[in-house]
Amino acid sequence: MKTLDTFLFGLYPYICLSVFLLGSLIRFDRDQYTWKSDSSQLLKAGQLRWGSNLFHVGVLFLFFGHFVGMLTPHFVYEPFITAGQKQVLAMTTGGIAGALAFVGVTILLHRRLSEPRIRATSKTSDIVLLVLLWLQLALGLASVPLSAQHLDGSVMMLLAEWAQRIVTFRPGAAELLAGVNWVFRAHIFLGMSIFLVFPFTRLAHVWSGFGTVGYLVRPYQVVRSRRLNVPAGHNQPRQPGASV
C-alpha cells in the first residue's frame, strides 16, 4: 500500500498535470477546429439551460475555492481566521456550490442519456466526462459530513499541505494522506484524473473562457470604412475650374 500511495499521491499528480498542460498545448496547435464545446442547444433547451447554469455557477465557485483554499499557506490567513473557522466556511459554501453543481450535472447527464437524438450525436468522451464529474461532485458532497467529525481543521490542513507540497515539488506529499479517510483520497485521485482527460474532452474549451480576459487589456482596433466597387480617384476632391 505504501508503494501504491506513493504512486497515486506522489507521482500520479505530476503525470496528470503534465498531460493537462502539454496535451492542451498540442491540441490547440494541431486541432484548433475541435477547440470548442459541441452544441446541442436546439434539443431539450430547457434542461440544457437549467443544467448548464447550475453546473457552471457551482463548479466555478468550487474551482476557485479549492484553488485559493488549498494553495494558500496557513500563515497568510491565520491572523484573520482559524483553521477550524476556515473549514466551517469551506463546508458551508462548498456544500451549497457542490449541491448546485451536482444537480446541474445530473440534469445534463440525464438529458444526454435520455434523449435519443442527443445520445446519437454524443461522443464517448462526452458521456465519460459527465460521469466523472458526477462521481467527483458526489464524493465532494460525501466529504462534508466527514469533515463535520473533525471541526478543528486538522484534516483540511493535511490536504492543503499535500497540495502545496505537490505544486512546490517538495517531498513527503504522499505520506500526509496515509491516514486520511478513503473518501478524501478518492476525491483527490478522481480530481487528478479529470486533469488527465482534460485535453481529450470538451473541457478544453475552458481555456477559451479564461482567454477572454485578454479582451480587457488588448489595444483598440482601428476600423476604417471602405466603399466597395468605387473607381480609384472617384472620391478625390475636384480641382478648381474642372468641368462637371
Side-chain angles (χ1 to χ4, degrees):
M1 288 301 294
K2 183 177 180 180
T3 302
L4 182 61
D5 286 348
T6 300
F7 173 77
L8 292 180
F9 304 111
L11 181 60
Y12 186 62
Y14 293 112
I15 297 175
C16 296
L17 293 175
S18 297
V19 173
F20 166 68
L21 295 173
L22 293 177
S24 297
L25 181 61
I26 293 172
R27 181 172 179 182
F28 178 74
D29 182 61
R30 301 189 59 177
D31 297 305
Q32 292 187 18
Y33 289 108
T34 68
W35 192 269
K36 61 184 177 64
S37 177
D38 296 330
S39 175
S40 58
Q41 62 186 19
L42 297 180
L43 302 174
K44 290 196 171 183
Q47 276 193 338
L48 176 62
R49 182 171 58 253
W50 276 101
S52 181
N53 287 336
L54 288 172
F55 171 73
H56 281 89
V57 169
V59 83
L60 285 174
F61 183 92
L62 290 172
F63 174 80
F64 289 108
H66 278 68
F67 185 84
V68 175
M70 297 284 282
L71 299 181
T72 303
H74 178 64
F75 69 84
V76 174
Y77 58 81
E78 188 175 19
F80 312 101
I81 186 174
T82 66
Q85 291 170 336
K86 181 188 175 186
Q87 177 167 311
V88 173
L89 178 64
M91 289 169 55
T92 305
T93 57
I96 294 173
L100 292 177
F102 183 76
V103 171
V105 78
T106 301
I107 293 174
L108 294 176
L109 184 59
H110 174 268
R111 171 180 175 272
R112 190 162 293 276
L113 295 178
S114 64
E115 171 56 52
R117 291 173 295 177
I118 300 177
R119 179 72 179 271
T121 58
S122 296
K123 301 175 183 177
T124 302
S125 62
D126 296 334
I127 298 174
V128 170
L129 177 63
L130 286 175
V131 171
L132 286 177
L133 292 171
W134 191 92
L135 291 173
Q136 177 69 343
L137 289 167
L139 286 170
L141 290 173
S143 70
V144 174
L146 292 175
S147 298
Q149 298 176 11
H150 37 75
L151 294 177
D152 58 348
S154 56
V155 174
M156 182 194 66
M157 294 293 292
L158 284 176
L159 299 176
E161 179 65 19
W162 171 84
Q164 292 166 31
R165 289 196 183 192
I166 289 295
V167 298
T168 56
F169 302 97
R170 286 183 290 156
E175 287 79 357
L176 293 172
L177 303 183
V180 175
N181 189 284
W182 71 268
V183 172
F184 295 102
R185 291 153 60 88
H187 188 55
I188 291 174
F189 171 76
L190 198 55
M192 290 293 100
S193 299
I194 291 174
F195 279 102
L196 181 69
V197 303
F198 181 100
F200 314 106
T201 66
R202 61 172 54 208
L203 278 179
H205 80 280
V206 173
W207 286 118
S208 300
F210 288 118
T212 56
V213 178
Y215 282 91
L216 300 176
V217 295
R218 74 173 185 175
Y220 289 106
Q221 288 182 315
V222 179
V223 180
R224 296 184 177 89
S225 62
R226 183 178 64 181
R227 297 178 62 183
L228 301 178
N229 301 321
V230 177
H234 182 80
N235 288 330
Q236 294 180 357
R238 295 190 182 93
Q239 300 295 327
S243 59
V244 178

